[in-house]
Amino acid sequence: MHEAISLRMRRVERNITSMKDDFLRRVDSVEDNIAAQILDLRAILATVHVSGNLNTVTSPVHAPSRLVMQPPSPSISANHPPPIVAVSQRVTSNPLDSSRQLGQCLPREAIPLENLGIAHLGDEQHPFDKTKIPEPPTLHFSQDIPGLFREWENSSLLVVNGRGIPIKYWGEFYKKCKGAKKTAWDALRSEWGNWKFIAEERQRFTSEEAFWSQYSDCDGKPLLYKHILNRLQHHRTTSTAQDASDARTFFAGNLDSPNAQGKFRYKKAGKSYLYTKDDVIAKKWQELLNTRPDIAAQWASMRPLLPTPTPSSAA
């Protein structure tokens, strides 16, 4: 009796071991197949990179087709499940999504009028179909500030109607276009604002090296992303307070001076009010200096006669 039970137990153990070995062989085969297909895809992408033309991409010579390798088929029985069926897999189209392809720009006339959007990329107008805007790329630059500098002015991370869109213009597609993924901008807006803050500060310098000479610690090590933002925020707050003070000084404390021509007033519910917040006053003051040469010249002559402000320490 005991020998019969032992014999049956050994048979069960052998069956379990056989099933385990068979399963592991199949897993290894699938892993090999996946690895080979990844290599095929990398070869295709390398071809894209070299040719620079997505329209001429073909499957690599060394990877025309790949057949999923099938492990040796064990006998089908109650102790062995049926083998995996071999499936032919061939790359039949470009692995990149068509909405992100460069060089396939549709003219304005080819876009349905109800879907037509116009983005202003500097002085150029770029037509696009509002229903075919991809989601914003998911990326961060906190560990790659030089990458932000590159992509801010010239980028293909986002492609709309066959054209790579510099990061600085992303708001043209998400912020201002009705029906064009406005909710996506809600998630992106804060981080994009930080990118703009840093990228525009970089543009004040003649080179990236000059930027980092200003934004490095006493040991010459570049400041971290957050530290740069903190310093810029400190500078902005200080600058805003100074500009607002300059405006009040120029107009002798009366921002409603006739010479201001209502620049510091706004209307709400049919009534006129005078701005009181420093950030708005500073902005309007800068606009006056840029659009009124007479005020700019008068202010330039006044400044040397004013008391020198006490410098504040950097953040």
Side-chain angles (χ1 to χ4, degrees), residues 12-24:
V12 170
E13 289 176 356
R14 283 197 298 270
N15 287 338
I16 292 175
T17 301
S18 177
M19 291 174 63
K20 178 181 177 182
D21 292 342
D22 180 49
F23 175 76
L24 291 176

Side-chain angles (χ1 to χ4, degrees), residues 276-287:
T276 58
K277 294 184 178 180
D278 279 1
D279 57 342
V280 182
I281 294 172
K283 180 180 178 180
K284 296 299 180 181
W285 172 241
Q286 286 298 323
E287 290 176 1

Side-chain angles (χ1 to χ4, degrees), residues 182-192:
K182 291 182 295 183
T183 55
W185 184 252
D186 294 336
L188 180 64
R189 176 174 51 194
S190 178
E191 189 163 20
W192 184 90

Side-chain angles (χ1 to χ4, degrees), residues 60-129:
V61 174
H62 298 292
S65 176
R66 184 157 301 279
L67 191 66
V68 176
M69 295 181 63
Q70 180 178 343
S73 299
S75 300
I76 299 176
S77 67
N79 296 325
H80 293 85
I84 299 174
V85 178
V87 180
S88 177
Q89 296 182 344
R90 182 188 297 270
V91 178
T92 58
S93 62
N94 195 299
L96 300 179
D97 185 86
S98 59
S99 66
R100 302 178 73 84
Q101 291 186 13
L102 292 166
Q104 298 182 1
C105 182
L106 293 175
R108 180 171 180 165
E109 297 75 18
I111 301 173
L113 187 59
E114 64 273 18
N115 298 336
L116 178 65
I118 301 294
H120 297 274
L121 310 181
D123 296 329
E124 182 181 350
Q125 293 186 346
H126 181 59
F128 63 96
D129 189 327

Side-chain angles (χ1 to χ4, degrees), residues 16-50:
I16 292 175
T17 301
S18 177
M19 291 174 63
K20 178 181 177 182
D21 292 342
D22 180 49
F23 175 76
L24 291 176
R25 281 196 301 271
R26 282 186 241 173
V27 169
D28 290 341
S29 176
V30 172
E31 288 179 346
D32 291 342
N33 178 62
I34 293 174
Q37 292 186 55
I38 290 175
L39 291 176
D40 291 351
L41 183 55
R42 287 180 177 174
I44 292 173
L45 296 178
T47 303
V48 173
H49 178 73
V50 172

Side-chain angles (χ1 to χ4, degrees), residues 250 259 285 289 292-304:
F250 181 84
N259 195 23
W285 172 241
L289 293 177
R292 293 278 301 276
D294 56 325
I295 289 181
Q298 188 177 352
W299 175 241
S301 65
M302 288 176 58
R303 291 188 66 179

